[in-house]
Amino acid sequence: MLGWLASFSGYLTPVFLVLSPLLSYTDQAISMYKARSSAGFSLDIPLIMLVASLFRIFYYPGAHFDKALLVQSFVMVFIQLILLKIALDHRPGPSSKGGEAAVPFARAHDGGGGGLWEAPRPYRFWQWRSAKPYWHFVLYMFLGLAACELVLAPVHWLYPAYSALIGYTGLSVEATLPLPQIFSNARSRSCKGFRVSVLASWLLGDAMKMYWFFSSATQIPWAFKICGIFQAGCDSLLGMQYLMYGNGSGPAVPELVVKDHKMSDWPAAASAMGESEKPTMQMGAPHTTGRDTPVGRRTSLADKST
């Protein structure tokens, strides 16, 4: 039974891993495009996955891990570029609540007090208002990795250490994928804008990867296993947030109260009072005339004639 399950997992998991970027993020991209807003979606998710996937692609020549993970990296780069384009085109303004919540790692809580995630980034990295710096960074990173590969590949005594370095770095970056969304949800106390389909695919992918990593006969470096365990724990925490906060719009705003009366009770209270009993707005002391006409009451024609 266990042998059959391992064999089935060996065929199914690689296919799922290759298709998982499309299954995970296509629904998120369509949702933001239809809503014309990327509020609630952290821009750090495309950053993390682009860095991790590009590093993994250039890690392959030195590690020769399973080809399914390599193909997945190419598919991930493709879908993340599309996701980044849509998210940048439909970012809410910085003055709106959604705009503040969409700023990655921006104030995990409203109480202030500093902290790692509240500190401003050097040169406002990945928090630029213009779209061009995002694309410049991705292009320069790819060109830099390609140049290092061409220069260091012939240096046999140095290349293995370099390959291991970019491999562990890329996988460590990927393991932090859920953190931006976790902090964004904790700050707004809501999971609004984050698709449950993405969360479901992450959790399912974690379960399948963990079983495949530790049962596959193909070469799976320990870097994948360690970072996969950490990411699975973070995804589970994200699932707990979804259960706690749901897909609502955050904490309710306290109802406005005027003179110890709720505004929602005003129509009923107003209908129960007589016309002369309704409160009137006054500025300063009451104004009276020689006839002592109360403020807020019109003088009738009969009174004027007397």
Side-chain angles (χ1 to χ4, degrees):
M1 180 63 180
L2 292 179
W4 176 87
L5 184 60
S7 178
F8 178 75
S9 174
Y11 286 105
L12 179 62
T13 303
V15 175
F16 177 80
L17 289 177
V18 171
L19 298 178
S20 61
L22 300 177
L23 299 175
S24 302
Y25 297 104
T26 299
D27 182 52
Q28 180 74 57
I30 294 175
S31 174
M32 292 190 299
Y33 180 79
K34 289 183 177 179
R36 296 294 190 271
S37 174
S38 58
F41 177 77
S42 174
L43 285 176
D44 277 346
I45 290 179
L47 169 65
I48 290 173
M49 294 313 302
L50 285 172
V51 171
S53 300
L54 288 174
F55 273 53
R56 188 193 296 179
I57 290 172
F58 286 95
Y59 177 45
Y60 179 79
H64 296 288
F65 48 80
D66 195 287
K67 288 183 173 62
L69 296 172
L70 177 64
V71 176
Q72 183 204 37
S73 300
F74 282 104
V75 177
M76 183 65 75
V77 170
F78 171 75
I79 191 63
Q80 290 301 326
L81 290 175
I82 296 177
L83 193 65
L84 178 61
K85 170 65 175 174
I86 296 175
L88 290 175
D89 288 345
H90 301 292
R91 280 185 299 177
S95 60
S96 65
K97 181 179 179 181
E100 294 174 358
V103 174
F105 291 140
R107 297 186 60 185
H109 52 79
D110 294 330
L116 176 61
W117 308 117
E118 298 183 44
R121 298 182 184 182
Y123 305 103
R124 296 188 58 82
F125 176 73
W126 212 256
Q127 294 176 338
W128 308 296
R129 294 311 304 172
S130 174
K132 287 184 178 180
Y134 294 88
W135 304 114
H136 290 167
F137 172 79
V138 176
L139 177 61
Y140 294 155
M141 180 176 60
F142 171 77
L143 293 177
L145 288 171
C148 290
E149 184 70 22
L150 293 175
V151 172
L152 297 178
V155 184
H156 300 291
W157 62 271
L158 180 60
Y159 183 72
Y162 165 75
S163 178
L165 175 63
I166 63 172
Y168 277 83
T169 301
L171 291 170
S172 299
V173 170
E174 182 179 357
T176 66
L177 173 63
L179 294 182
Q181 197 65 51
I182 288 174
F183 282 97
S184 177
N185 295 344
R187 177 179 179 271
S188 62
R189 301 188 65 81
S190 169
C191 295
K192 186 176 183 180
F194 181 65
R195 303 290 291 178
V196 67
S197 59
V198 176
L199 174 61
S201 64
W202 285 0
L203 294 174
L204 179 60
D206 290 335
M208 297 184 70
K209 283 192 298 184
M210 288 299 97
Y211 184 81
W212 184 52
F213 284 171
F214 290 96
S215 63
S216 175
T218 59
Q219 178 66 23
I220 306 293
W222 265 100
F224 284 89
K225 299 176 182 179
I226 296 174
C227 295
I229 293 173
F230 177 80
Q231 187 174 353
C234 292
D235 290 341
S236 300
L237 178 59
L238 192 58
M240 294 176 60
Q241 282 187 324
Y242 208 94
L243 293 176
M244 292 171 56
Y245 303 142
N247 198 25
S249 56
V253 178
E255 188 175 12
L256 181 62
V257 177
V258 178
K259 290 186 178 181
D260 300 330
H261 294 284
K262 294 182 179 179
M263 292 298 293
S264 58
D265 297 337
W266 177 254
S271 61
M273 292 189 299
E275 185 69 24
S276 61
E277 296 176 341
K278 291 182 179 180
T280 57
M281 298 182 62
Q282 303 179 14
M283 298 293 294
H287 174 71
T288 59
T289 64
R291 303 178 188 273
D292 294 331
T293 303
V295 177
R297 177 181 174 186
R298 296 179 178 271
T299 305
S300 63
L301 293 177
D303 291 338
K304 290 182 178 181
S305 63
T306 58

